[in-house]
Amino acid sequence: PGLGDLKRAQAELSMHQRNVLGPDADGLTAKIEACKTMEELRAYFAAQRGTLDEWLGKSKSAVFWAKADPYLR
């Protein structure tokens, strides 16, 4: 995966966060956009998964991860 894949993943994941969290997503999207590599992006989401699950609740969390996981492979 090259830089284009990273940028696309960041854009998609940020968009999904905004769709689910609204304005509350700003802090998270800044961290997503600060990642320099796919590995860093994957590590960030791996570390934040539990927190995101808690914030989103069960149904929103399932929807978010269904959309996010393909970008994090």
Side-chain angles (χ1 to χ4, degrees):
L3 190 58
D5 295 323
L6 173 64
K7 292 294 176 202
R8 194 180 94 207
Q10 287 170 313
E12 291 292 329
L13 293 166
S14 293
M15 183 184 68
H16 292 319
Q17 293 262 298
R18 284 189 193 98
N19 288 345
V20 176
L21 292 172
D24 293 339
D26 289 350
L28 296 171
T29 57
K31 289 176 183 165
I32 292 168
E33 289 159 11
C35 293
K36 302 279 188 259
T37 65
M38 281 304 294
E39 291 71 27
E40 199 177 323
L41 187 64
R42 287 183 194 108
Y44 169 74
F45 274 98
Q48 297 300 316
R49 192 164 194 129
T51 303
L52 286 169
D53 287 347
E54 211 171 284
W55 282 353
L56 299 175
K58 197 170 190 170
S59 60
K60 284 184 180 178
S61 175
V63 170
F64 174 75
W65 291 114
K67 290 181 179 179
D69 282 340
Y71 292 101
L72 297 172
R73 290 189 183 152

Short mmCIF file of all heavy atoms in Angstrom, two decimals:
data_model
loop_
_atom_site.label_atom_id
_atom_site.label_comp_id
_atom_site.label_asym_id
_atom_site.label_seq_id
_atom_site.Cartn_x
_atom_site.Cartn_y
_atom_site.Cartn_z
N PRO A 1 0.82 -1.20 0.00
CA PRO A 1 0.00 0.00 0.00
C PRO A 1 0.86 1.26 0.00
O PRO A 1 1.75 1.40 0.82
CB PRO A 1 -0.81 -0.08 1.30
CG PRO A 1 -0.59 -1.44 1.85
CD PRO A 1 0.56 -2.03 1.14
N GLY A 2 0.56 2.15 -0.91
CA GLY A 2 1.33 3.39 -0.99
C GLY A 2 0.63 4.51 -0.26
O GLY A 2 -0.37 4.31 0.42
N LEU A 3 1.15 5.70 -0.42
CA LEU A 3 0.62 6.87 0.27
C LEU A 3 -0.82 7.14 -0.14
O LEU A 3 -1.63 7.57 0.67
CB LEU A 3 1.51 8.09 -0.02
CG LEU A 3 1.21 9.33 0.81
CD1 LEU A 3 1.34 9.02 2.30
CD2 LEU A 3 2.17 10.44 0.45
N GLY A 4 -1.16 6.89 -1.39
CA GLY A 4 -2.53 7.09 -1.84
C GLY A 4 -3.51 6.27 -1.03
O GLY A 4 -4.60 6.72 -0.70
N ASP A 5 -3.13 5.03 -0.70
CA ASP A 5 -4.00 4.18 0.11
C ASP A 5 -4.17 4.75 1.51
O ASP A 5 -5.27 4.72 2.07
CB ASP A 5 -3.44 2.76 0.21
CG ASP A 5 -3.41 2.07 -1.15
OD1 ASP A 5 -4.33 2.28 -1.95
OD2 ASP A 5 -2.46 1.31 -1.40
N LEU A 6 -3.09 5.27 2.07
CA LEU A 6 -3.16 5.88 3.40
C LEU A 6 -4.11 7.07 3.37
O LEU A 6 -5.00 7.18 4.21
CB LEU A 6 -1.76 6.31 3.87
CG LEU A 6 -1.74 7.10 5.19
CD1 LEU A 6 -2.24 6.26 6.35
CD2 LEU A 6 -0.33 7.62 5.47
N LYS A 7 -3.92 7.95 2.39
CA LYS A 7 -4.76 9.15 2.31
C LYS A 7 -6.23 8.78 2.11
O LYS A 7 -7.12 9.38 2.70
CB LYS A 7 -4.29 10.06 1.17
CG LYS A 7 -2.94 10.69 1.43
CD LYS A 7 -3.04 11.65 2.59
CE LYS A 7 -1.69 12.24 2.95
NZ LYS A 7 -1.65 12.73 4.32
N ARG A 8 -6.49 7.78 1.26
CA ARG A 8 -7.87 7.35 1.03
C ARG A 8 -8.46 6.77 2.31
O ARG A 8 -9.59 7.07 2.68
CB ARG A 8 -7.94 6.33 -0.09
CG ARG A 8 -9.37 6.12 -0.58
CD ARG A 8 -9.45 5.12 -1.69
NE ARG A 8 -9.73 3.84 -1.04
CZ ARG A 8 -9.38 2.67 -1.52
NH1 ARG A 8 -8.72 2.58 -2.65
NH2 ARG A 8 -9.69 1.56 -0.90
N ALA A 9 -7.69 5.95 3.00
CA ALA A 9 -8.15 5.35 4.26
C ALA A 9 -8.44 6.44 5.29
O ALA A 9 -9.47 6.42 5.96
CB ALA A 9 -7.11 4.36 4.80
N GLN A 10 -7.54 7.42 5.39
CA GLN A 10 -7.75 8.51 6.35
C GLN A 10 -9.03 9.28 6.02
O GLN A 10 -9.81 9.59 6.91
CB GLN A 10 -6.55 9.45 6.35
CG GLN A 10 -5.33 8.85 7.01
CD GLN A 10 -4.08 9.67 6.79
OE1 GLN A 10 -3.80 10.08 5.66
NE2 GLN A 10 -3.33 9.91 7.84
N ALA A 11 -9.22 9.58 4.74
CA ALA A 11 -10.41 10.34 4.34
C ALA A 11 -11.68 9.56 4.63
O ALA A 11 -12.64 10.10 5.19
CB ALA A 11 -10.32 10.69 2.85
N GLU A 12 -11.69 8.29 4.27
CA GLU A 12 -12.89 7.46 4.49
C GLU A 12 -13.17 7.28 5.98
O GLU A 12 -14.32 7.39 6.42
CB GLU A 12 -12.71 6.10 3.82
CG GLU A 12 -12.72 6.16 2.31
CD GLU A 12 -14.08 6.54 1.74
OE1 GLU A 12 -15.12 6.21 2.33
OE2 GLU A 12 -14.11 7.17 0.66
N LEU A 13 -12.13 6.97 6.75
CA LEU A 13 -12.32 6.74 8.19
C LEU A 13 -12.75 8.01 8.90
O LEU A 13 -13.62 7.98 9.78
CB LEU A 13 -11.04 6.18 8.80
CG LEU A 13 -10.69 4.76 8.32
CD1 LEU A 13 -9.26 4.40 8.68
CD2 LEU A 13 -11.66 3.73 8.87
N SER A 14 -12.19 9.15 8.50
CA SER A 14 -12.60 10.42 9.08
C SER A 14 -14.06 10.72 8.76
O SER A 14 -14.82 11.15 9.62
CB SER A 14 -11.71 11.56 8.57
OG SER A 14 -10.40 11.40 9.06
N MET A 15 -14.45 10.44 7.51
CA MET A 15 -15.83 10.67 7.10
C MET A 15 -16.78 9.78 7.91
O MET A 15 -17.81 10.24 8.40
CB MET A 15 -15.99 10.39 5.61
CG MET A 15 -17.40 10.68 5.09
SD MET A 15 -17.60 10.24 3.35
CE MET A 15 -17.50 8.46 3.45
N HIS A 16 -16.42 8.51 8.08
CA HIS A 16 -17.27 7.59 8.86
C HIS A 16 -17.39 8.07 10.30
O HIS A 16 -18.46 8.01 10.89
CB HIS A 16 -16.73 6.16 8.81
CG HIS A 16 -16.82 5.52 7.46
ND1 HIS A 16 -17.92 5.67 6.63
CD2 HIS A 16 -15.96 4.73 6.79
CE1 HIS A 16 -17.71 5.00 5.51
NE2 HIS A 16 -16.53 4.43 5.58
N GLN A 17 -16.28 8.55 10.85
CA GLN A 17 -16.32 9.05 12.23
C GLN A 17 -17.28 10.23 12.34
O GLN A 17 -18.08 10.30 13.26
CB GLN A 17 -14.92 9.50 12.68
CG GLN A 17 -13.93 8.38 12.81
CD GLN A 17 -13.81 7.92 14.23
OE1 GLN A 17 -13.41 8.66 15.08
NE2 GLN A 17 -14.14 6.69 14.47
N ARG A 18 -17.18 11.16 11.38
CA ARG A 18 -18.06 12.33 11.40
C ARG A 18 -19.52 11.93 11.24
O ARG A 18 -20.40 12.51 11.87
CB ARG A 18 -17.66 13.33 10.31
CG ARG A 18 -16.42 14.10 10.65
CD ARG A 18 -16.15 15.24 9.67
NE ARG A 18 -14.82 15.74 9.88
CZ ARG A 18 -13.75 15.39 9.16
NH1 ARG A 18 -13.87 14.53 8.16
NH2 ARG A 18 -12.57 15.89 9.42
N ASN A 19 -19.78 10.95 10.37
CA ASN A 19 -21.16 10.49 10.16
C ASN A 19 -21.75 9.93 11.44
O ASN A 19 -22.94 10.10 11.71
CB ASN A 19 -21.21 9.43 9.06
CG ASN A 19 -20.98 10.01 7.68
OD1 ASN A 19 -21.05 11.21 7.48
ND2 ASN A 19 -20.70 9.14 6.73
N VAL A 20 -20.93 9.25 12.22
CA VAL A 20 -21.43 8.58 13.42
C VAL A 20 -21.41 9.49 14.64
O VAL A 20 -22.34 9.49 15.43
CB VAL A 20 -20.60 7.29 13.69
CG1 VAL A 20 -21.02 6.64 14.97
CG2 VAL A 20 -20.76 6.31 12.54
N LEU A 21 -20.36 10.29 14.78
CA LEU A 21 -20.19 11.10 15.98
C LEU A 21 -20.53 12.57 15.81
O LEU A 21 -20.61 13.31 16.78
CB LEU A 21 -18.74 10.99 16.48
CG LEU A 21 -18.32 9.63 17.02
CD1 LEU A 21 -16.83 9.61 17.28
CD2 LEU A 21 -19.08 9.30 18.30
N GLY A 22 -20.67 13.02 14.57
CA GLY A 22 -20.93 14.44 14.33
C GLY A 22 -19.74 15.29 14.75
O GLY A 22 -18.59 14.86 14.61
N PRO A 23 -19.99 16.49 15.30
CA PRO A 23 -18.90 17.40 15.67
C PRO A 23 -17.95 16.81 16.72
O PRO A 23 -16.80 17.23 16.81
CB PRO A 23 -19.62 18.62 16.25
CG PRO A 23 -21.04 18.48 15.87
CD PRO A 23 -21.30 17.04 15.55
N ASP A 24 -18.42 15.82 17.48
CA ASP A 24 -17.56 15.20 18.48
C ASP A 24 -16.39 14.45 17.84
O ASP A 24 -15.44 14.08 18.53
CB ASP A 24 -18.36 14.20 19.33
CG ASP A 24 -19.39 14.90 20.19
OD1 ASP A 24 -19.24 16.12 20.46
OD2 ASP A 24 -20.36 14.24 20.60
N ALA A 25 -16.44 14.22 16.55
CA ALA A 25 -15.40 13.46 15.86
C ALA A 25 -14.14 14.28 15.58
O ALA A 25 -13.10 13.72 15.24
CB ALA A 25 -15.93 12.90 14.54
N ASP A 26 -14.20 15.60 15.74
CA ASP A 26 -13.08 16.46 15.34
C ASP A 26 -11.75 16.06 15.95
O ASP A 26 -10.74 16.00 15.25
CB ASP A 26 -13.37 17.93 15.63
CG ASP A 26 -14.44 18.50 14.70
OD1 ASP A 26 -14.80 17.81 13.72
OD2 ASP A 26 -14.90 19.61 14.95
N GLY A 27 -11.72 15.77 17.24
CA GLY A 27 -10.48 15.37 17.88
C GLY A 27 -9.94 14.06 17.33
O GLY A 27 -8.73 13.89 17.13
N LEU A 28 -10.85 13.13 17.05
CA LEU A 28 -10.45 11.84 16.50
C LEU A 28 -9.96 11.97 15.07
O LEU A 28 -8.96 11.35 14.69
CB LEU A 28 -11.62 10.85 16.55
CG LEU A 28 -12.13 10.49 17.93
CD1 LEU A 28 -13.41 9.69 17.83
CD2 LEU A 28 -11.07 9.71 18.69
N THR A 29 -10.65 12.77 14.27
CA THR A 29 -10.24 12.89 12.87
C THR A 29 -8.87 13.56 12.77
O THR A 29 -8.08 13.21 11.90
CB THR A 29 -11.29 13.64 12.02
OG1 THR A 29 -11.52 14.92 12.58
CG2 THR A 29 -12.59 12.87 11.95
N ALA A 30 -8.57 14.47 13.67
CA ALA A 30 -7.24 15.09 13.67
C ALA A 30 -6.17 14.03 13.92
O ALA A 30 -5.11 14.05 13.28
CB ALA A 30 -7.16 16.18 14.73
N LYS A 31 -6.44 13.10 14.82
CA LYS A 31 -5.47 12.03 15.10
C LYS A 31 -5.36 11.07 13.93
O LYS A 31 -4.26 10.60 13.61
CB LYS A 31 -5.86 11.29 16.37
CG LYS A 31 -5.65 12.15 17.61
CD LYS A 31 -6.10 11.49 18.87
CE LYS A 31 -5.91 12.46 20.03
NZ LYS A 31 -6.62 12.06 21.22
N ILE A 32 -6.47 10.78 13.27
CA ILE A 32 -6.45 9.90 12.08
C ILE A 32 -5.58 10.55 11.01
O ILE A 32 -4.72 9.91 10.41
CB ILE A 32 -7.88 9.69 11.53
CG1 ILE A 32 -8.71 8.86 12.51
CG2 ILE A 32 -7.84 9.02 10.16
CD1 ILE A 32 -10.20 8.83 12.20
N GLU A 33 -5.79 11.84 10.79
CA GLU A 33 -5.08 12.55 9.73
C GLU A 33 -3.61 12.77 10.06
O GLU A 33 -2.80 13.00 9.17
CB GLU A 33 -5.80 13.85 9.40
CG GLU A 33 -7.12 13.55 8.68
CD GLU A 33 -8.16 14.66 8.75
OE1 GLU A 33 -7.83 15.77 9.18
OE2 GLU A 33 -9.31 14.38 8.37
N ALA A 34 -3.24 12.65 11.34
CA ALA A 34 -1.84 12.82 11.74
C ALA A 34 -1.00 11.56 11.52
O ALA A 34 0.23 11.63 11.54
CB ALA A 34 -1.76 13.24 13.21
N CYS A 35 -1.65 10.42 11.29
CA CYS A 35 -0.90 9.18 11.07
C CYS A 35 -0.09 9.27 9.78
O CYS A 35 -0.59 9.74 8.76
CB CYS A 35 -1.86 7.99 11.01
SG CYS A 35 -2.68 7.65 12.58
N LYS A 36 1.16 8.82 9.85
CA LYS A 36 2.07 8.93 8.70
C LYS A 36 2.14 7.66 7.85
O LYS A 36 2.62 7.69 6.73
CB LYS A 36 3.49 9.27 9.18
CG LYS A 36 3.56 10.55 9.99
CD LYS A 36 3.60 11.76 9.09
CE LYS A 36 3.88 13.03 9.86
NZ LYS A 36 2.68 13.81 10.11
N THR A 37 1.71 6.52 8.41
CA THR A 37 1.77 5.25 7.69
C THR A 37 0.51 4.45 7.97
O THR A 37 -0.20 4.71 8.95
CB THR A 37 2.98 4.40 8.15
OG1 THR A 37 2.78 4.04 9.53
CG2 THR A 37 4.30 5.14 7.98
N MET A 38 0.25 3.45 7.13
CA MET A 38 -0.89 2.56 7.38
C MET A 38 -0.70 1.83 8.70
O MET A 38 -1.66 1.62 9.44
CB MET A 38 -1.05 1.55 6.24
CG MET A 38 -1.73 2.11 5.00
SD MET A 38 -3.38 2.84 5.30
CE MET A 38 -4.34 1.41 5.78
N GLU A 39 0.54 1.45 9.01
CA GLU A 39 0.81 0.74 10.26
C GLU A 39 0.42 1.62 11.46
O GLU A 39 -0.17 1.15 12.42
CB GLU A 39 2.28 0.33 10.36
CG GLU A 39 2.69 -0.77 9.40
CD GLU A 39 2.77 -0.33 7.93
OE1 GLU A 39 3.01 0.88 7.65
OE2 GLU A 39 2.55 -1.19 7.05
N GLU A 40 0.77 2.89 11.37
CA GLU A 40 0.43 3.83 12.45
C GLU A 40 -1.09 3.99 12.56
O GLU A 40 -1.64 4.02 13.66
CB GLU A 40 1.08 5.18 12.13
CG GLU A 40 1.21 6.11 13.31
CD GLU A 40 1.94 7.40 12.94
OE1 GLU A 40 2.90 7.36 12.14
OE2 GLU A 40 1.53 8.44 13.46
N LEU A 41 -1.76 4.06 11.41
CA LEU A 41 -3.22 4.19 11.39
C LEU A 41 -3.88 2.94 12.00
O LEU A 41 -4.77 3.04 12.83
CB LEU A 41 -3.70 4.40 9.95
CG LEU A 41 -5.18 4.72 9.76
CD1 LEU A 41 -5.52 6.06 10.39
CD2 LEU A 41 -5.52 4.74 8.28
N ARG A 42 -3.39 1.77 11.60
CA ARG A 42 -3.93 0.52 12.17
C ARG A 42 -3.69 0.45 13.67
O ARG A 42 -4.58 0.05 14.42
CB ARG A 42 -3.27 -0.69 11.50
CG ARG A 42 -3.73 -0.92 10.09
CD ARG A 42 -3.09 -2.18 9.50
NE ARG A 42 -3.29 -2.21 8.07
CZ ARG A 42 -2.33 -2.01 7.16
NH1 ARG A 42 -1.08 -1.81 7.53
NH2 ARG A 42 -2.61 -2.04 5.88
N ALA A 43 -2.52 0.85 14.10
CA ALA A 43 -2.18 0.81 15.53
C ALA A 43 -3.09 1.77 16.31
O ALA A 43 -3.56 1.44 17.40
CB ALA A 43 -0.71 1.16 15.75
N TYR A 44 -3.34 2.94 15.74
CA TYR A 44 -4.22 3.91 16.40
C TYR A 44 -5.61 3.31 16.60
O TYR A 44 -6.17 3.36 17.69
CB TYR A 44 -4.31 5.21 15.58
CG TYR A 44 -5.39 6.12 16.10
CD1 TYR A 44 -5.22 6.82 17.29
CD2 TYR A 44 -6.60 6.25 15.42
CE1 TYR A 44 -6.23 7.63 17.80
CE2 TYR A 44 -7.61 7.05 15.93
CZ TYR A 44 -7.42 7.73 17.11
OH TYR A 44 -8.42 8.52 17.61
N PHE A 45 -6.17 2.73 15.54
CA PHE A 45 -7.51 2.17 15.65
C PHE A 45 -7.54 0.94 16.55
O PHE A 45 -8.51 0.73 17.28
CB PHE A 45 -8.12 1.87 14.28
CG PHE A 45 -8.80 3.06 13.70
CD1 PHE A 45 -8.15 3.87 12.78
CD2 PHE A 45 -10.07 3.42 14.10
CE1 PHE A 45 -8.77 4.99 12.26
CE2 PHE A 45 -10.70 4.55 13.60
CZ PHE A 45 -10.05 5.33 12.68
N ALA A 46 -6.49 0.15 16.53
CA ALA A 46 -6.43 -1.01 17.43
C ALA A 46 -6.44 -0.54 18.88
O ALA A 46 -7.16 -1.10 19.72
CB ALA A 46 -5.19 -1.85 17.13
N ALA A 47 -5.69 0.51 19.16
CA ALA A 47 -5.60 1.04 20.52
C ALA A 47 -6.91 1.71 20.95
O ALA A 47 -7.27 1.70 22.13
CB ALA A 47 -4.44 2.03 20.63
N GLN A 48 -7.64 2.29 20.00
CA GLN A 48 -8.85 3.04 20.31
C GLN A 48 -10.14 2.23 20.19
O GLN A 48 -11.21 2.73 20.49
CB GLN A 48 -8.96 4.27 19.38
CG GLN A 48 -7.85 5.26 19.54
CD GLN A 48 -7.81 5.84 20.94
OE1 GLN A 48 -8.82 6.19 21.52
NE2 GLN A 48 -6.62 5.91 21.50
N ARG A 49 -10.04 0.99 19.75
CA ARG A 49 -11.24 0.20 19.46
C ARG A 49 -12.21 0.14 20.65
O ARG A 49 -13.41 0.38 20.50
CB ARG A 49 -10.87 -1.20 18.99
CG ARG A 49 -12.05 -1.93 18.40
CD ARG A 49 -11.63 -3.15 17.60
NE ARG A 49 -12.75 -3.59 16.81
CZ ARG A 49 -12.72 -3.84 15.52
NH1 ARG A 49 -11.60 -3.73 14.85
NH2 ARG A 49 -13.79 -4.23 14.88
N GLY A 50 -11.70 -0.19 21.82
CA GLY A 50 -12.56 -0.29 23.00
C GLY A 50 -13.23 1.02 23.34
O GLY A 50 -14.43 1.07 23.64
N THR A 51 -12.47 2.11 23.26
CA THR A 51 -13.01 3.44 23.55
C THR A 51 -14.09 3.81 22.54
O THR A 51 -15.15 4.31 22.91
CB THR A 51 -11.88 4.49 23.51
OG1 THR A 51 -10.88 4.10 24.45
CG2 THR A 51 -12.38 5.87 23.84
N LEU A 52 -13.81 3.55 21.27
CA LEU A 52 -14.80 3.86 20.24
C LEU A 52 -16.06 3.03 20.43
O LEU A 52 -17.17 3.54 20.29
CB LEU A 52 -14.21 3.61 18.84
CG LEU A 52 -13.21 4.66 18.37
CD1 LEU A 52 -12.50 4.18 17.12
CD2 LEU A 52 -13.90 5.98 18.11
N ASP A 53 -15.89 1.75 20.75
CA ASP A 53 -17.05 0.89 20.98
C ASP A 53 -17.93 1.45 22.10
O ASP A 53 -19.14 1.46 22.01
CB ASP A 53 -16.62 -0.54 21.32
CG ASP A 53 -16.07 -1.29 20.11
OD1 ASP A 53 -16.25 -0.81 18.98
OD2 ASP A 53 -15.47 -2.36 20.32
N GLU A 54 -17.27 1.94 23.14
CA GLU A 54 -17.98 2.50 24.29
C GLU A 54 -18.74 3.77 23.90
O GLU A 54 -19.90 3.96 24.24
CB GLU A 54 -16.96 2.82 25.38
CG GLU A 54 -17.49 2.69 26.78
CD GLU A 54 -16.37 2.82 27.78
OE1 GLU A 54 -15.60 1.85 27.94
OE2 GLU A 54 -16.23 3.91 28.38
N TRP A 55 -18.07 4.66 23.17
CA TRP A 55 -18.68 5.92 22.74
C TRP A 55 -19.85 5.69 21.81
O TRP A 55 -20.86 6.37 21.90
CB TRP A 55 -17.67 6.78 22.01
CG TRP A 55 -16.70 7.51 22.87
CD1 TRP A 55 -16.70 7.60 24.23
CD2 TRP A 55 -15.58 8.27 22.42
NE1 TRP A 55 -15.64 8.35 24.64
CE2 TRP A 55 -14.93 8.77 23.56
CE3 TRP A 55 -15.06 8.55 21.17
CZ2 TRP A 55 -13.79 9.56 23.47
CZ3 TRP A 55 -13.92 9.33 21.09
CH2 TRP A 55 -13.31 9.83 22.23
N LEU A 56 -19.66 4.78 20.86
CA LEU A 56 -20.65 4.60 19.80
C LEU A 56 -21.85 3.77 20.24
O LEU A 56 -22.93 3.92 19.68
CB LEU A 56 -20.00 3.94 18.58
CG LEU A 56 -18.86 4.72 17.92
CD1 LEU A 56 -18.23 3.90 16.82
CD2 LEU A 56 -19.36 6.05 17.38
N GLY A 57 -21.64 2.89 21.19
CA GLY A 57 -22.71 1.96 21.55
C GLY A 57 -22.70 0.79 20.57
O GLY A 57 -22.06 0.84 19.53
N LYS A 58 -23.41 -0.24 20.92
CA LYS A 58 -23.32 -1.50 20.18
C LYS A 58 -23.70 -1.39 18.70
O LYS A 58 -22.97 -1.84 17.83
CB LYS A 58 -24.18 -2.55 20.87
CG LYS A 58 -23.86 -3.96 20.47
CD LYS A 58 -24.57 -4.96 21.36
CE LYS A 58 -24.04 -6.35 21.09
NZ LYS A 58 -24.51 -7.32 22.06
N SER A 59 -24.83 -0.79 18.39
CA SER A 59 -25.28 -0.78 16.99
C SER A 59 -24.44 0.15 16.12
O SER A 59 -24.02 -0.23 15.02
CB SER A 59 -26.76 -0.42 16.89
OG SER A 59 -27.00 0.85 17.43
N LYS A 60 -24.16 1.36 16.60
CA LYS A 60 -23.33 2.29 15.81
C LYS A 60 -21.92 1.76 15.67
O LYS A 60 -21.27 1.94 14.64
CB LYS A 60 -23.30 3.67 16.46
CG LYS A 60 -24.56 4.48 16.25
CD LYS A 60 -24.39 5.86 16.83
CE LYS A 60 -25.62 6.70 16.65
NZ LYS A 60 -25.46 8.02 17.25
N SER A 61 -21.42 1.11 16.71
CA SER A 61 -20.08 0.54 16.68
C SER A 61 -19.98 -0.53 15.59
O SER A 61 -19.02 -0.55 14.82
CB SER A 61 -19.76 -0.06 18.05
OG SER A 61 -18.53 -0.72 18.01
N ALA A 62 -20.98 -1.39 15.52
CA ALA A 62 -20.97 -2.46 14.51
C ALA A 62 -20.97 -1.87 13.10
O ALA A 62 -20.23 -2.32 12.23
CB ALA A 62 -22.18 -3.37 14.70
N VAL A 63 -21.75 -0.82 12.89
CA VAL A 63 -21.81 -0.16 11.59
C VAL A 63 -20.46 0.49 11.27
O VAL A 63 -19.93 0.35 10.16
CB VAL A 63 -22.94 0.90 11.55
CG1 VAL A 63 -22.85 1.76 10.30
CG2 VAL A 63 -24.29 0.22 11.65
N PHE A 64 -19.89 1.19 12.26
CA PHE A 64 -18.61 1.86 12.03
C PHE A 64 -17.52 0.86 11.65
O PHE A 64 -16.81 1.04 10.66
CB PHE A 64 -18.16 2.68 13.25
CG PHE A 64 -16.79 3.24 13.04
CD1 PHE A 64 -16.61 4.33 12.21
CD2 PHE A 64 -15.68 2.67 13.63
CE1 PHE A 64 -15.34 4.84 11.97
CE2 PHE A 64 -14.41 3.16 13.39
CZ PHE A 64 -14.24 4.25 12.56
N TRP A 65 -17.38 -0.21 12.43
CA TRP A 65 -16.30 -1.18 12.16
C TRP A 65 -16.51 -1.94 10.86
O TRP A 65 -15.56 -2.26 10.17
CB TRP A 65 -16.11 -2.13 13.34
CG TRP A 65 -15.55 -1.39 14.52
CD1 TRP A 65 -16.18 -1.16 15.71
CD2 TRP A 65 -14.27 -0.75 14.63
NE1 TRP A 65 -15.37 -0.41 16.53
CE2 TRP A 65 -14.19 -0.15 15.90
CE3 TRP A 65 -13.18 -0.62 13.76
CZ2 TRP A 65 -13.08 0.56 16.33
CZ3 TRP A 65 -12.07 0.10 14.20
CH2 TRP A 65 -12.01 0.68 15.46
N ALA A 66 -17.76 -2.17 10.49
CA ALA A 66 -18.03 -2.83 9.20
C ALA A 66 -17.51 -1.96 8.06
O ALA A 66 -16.98 -2.47 7.07
CB ALA A 66 -19.53 -3.09 9.04
N LYS A 67 -17.63 -0.64 8.20
CA LYS A 67 -17.13 0.27 7.17
C LYS A 67 -15.63 0.49 7.29
O LYS A 67 -14.94 0.67 6.29
CB LYS A 67 -17.86 1.62 7.27
CG LYS A 67 -19.30 1.52 6.85
CD LYS A 67 -19.98 2.88 6.95
CE LYS A 67 -21.43 2.79 6.50
NZ LYS A 67 -22.12 4.06 6.59
N ALA A 68 -15.12 0.51 8.52
CA ALA A 68 -13.71 0.85 8.75
C ALA A 68 -12.75 -0.31 8.48
O ALA A 68 -11.66 -0.11 7.94
CB ALA A 68 -13.53 1.33 10.19
N ASP A 69 -13.13 -1.52 8.87
CA ASP A 69 -12.20 -2.65 8.81
C ASP A 69 -11.57 -2.88 7.43
O ASP A 69 -10.36 -3.13 7.36
CB ASP A 69 -12.86 -3.93 9.33
CG ASP A 69 -12.91 -3.97 10.86
OD1 ASP A 69 -12.11 -3.23 11.50
OD2 ASP A 69 -13.73 -4.72 11.41
N PRO A 70 -12.32 -2.76 6.33
CA PRO A 70 -11.66 -2.95 5.02
C PRO A 70 -10.51 -1.98 4.77
O PRO A 70 -9.55 -2.33 4.07
CB PRO A 70 -12.79 -2.72 4.00
CG PRO A 70 -14.04 -3.00 4.78
CD PRO A 70 -13.76 -2.58 6.19
N TYR A 71 -10.59 -0.78 5.34
CA TYR A 71 -9.52 0.22 5.15
C TYR A 71 -8.33 -0.06 6.07
O TYR A 71 -7.25 0.52 5.87
CB TYR A 71 -10.04 1.63 5.41
CG TYR A 71 -11.03 2.04 4.35
CD1 TYR A 71 -12.39 1.98 4.61
CD2 TYR A 71 -10.61 2.44 3.09
CE1 TYR A 71 -13.31 2.33 3.62
CE2 TYR A 71 -11.51 2.79 2.11
CZ TYR A 71 -12.85 2.74 2.38
OH TYR A 71 -13.76 3.08 1.41
N LEU A 72 -8.52 -0.89 7.06
CA LEU A 72 -7.46 -1.13 8.05
C LEU A 72 -6.73 -2.46 7.83
O LEU A 72 -5.90 -2.84 8.62
CB LEU A 72 -8.07 -1.09 9.47
CG LEU A 72 -8.66 0.28 9.85
CD1 LEU A 72 -9.41 0.19 11.15
CD2 LEU A 72 -7.57 1.33 9.93
N ARG A 73 -7.05 -3.14 6.76
CA ARG A 73 -6.40 -4.43 6.47
C ARG A 73 -5.06 -4.23 5.83
O ARG A 73 -4.77 -3.28 5.21
CB ARG A 73 -7.28 -5.27 5.55
CG ARG A 73 -8.50 -5.73 6.30
CD ARG A 73 -9.28 -6.73 5.52
NE ARG A 73 -10.45 -7.04 6.33
CZ ARG A 73 -11.60 -7.42 5.87
NH1 ARG A 73 -11.76 -7.59 4.59
NH2 ARG A 73 -12.60 -7.67 6.66
#
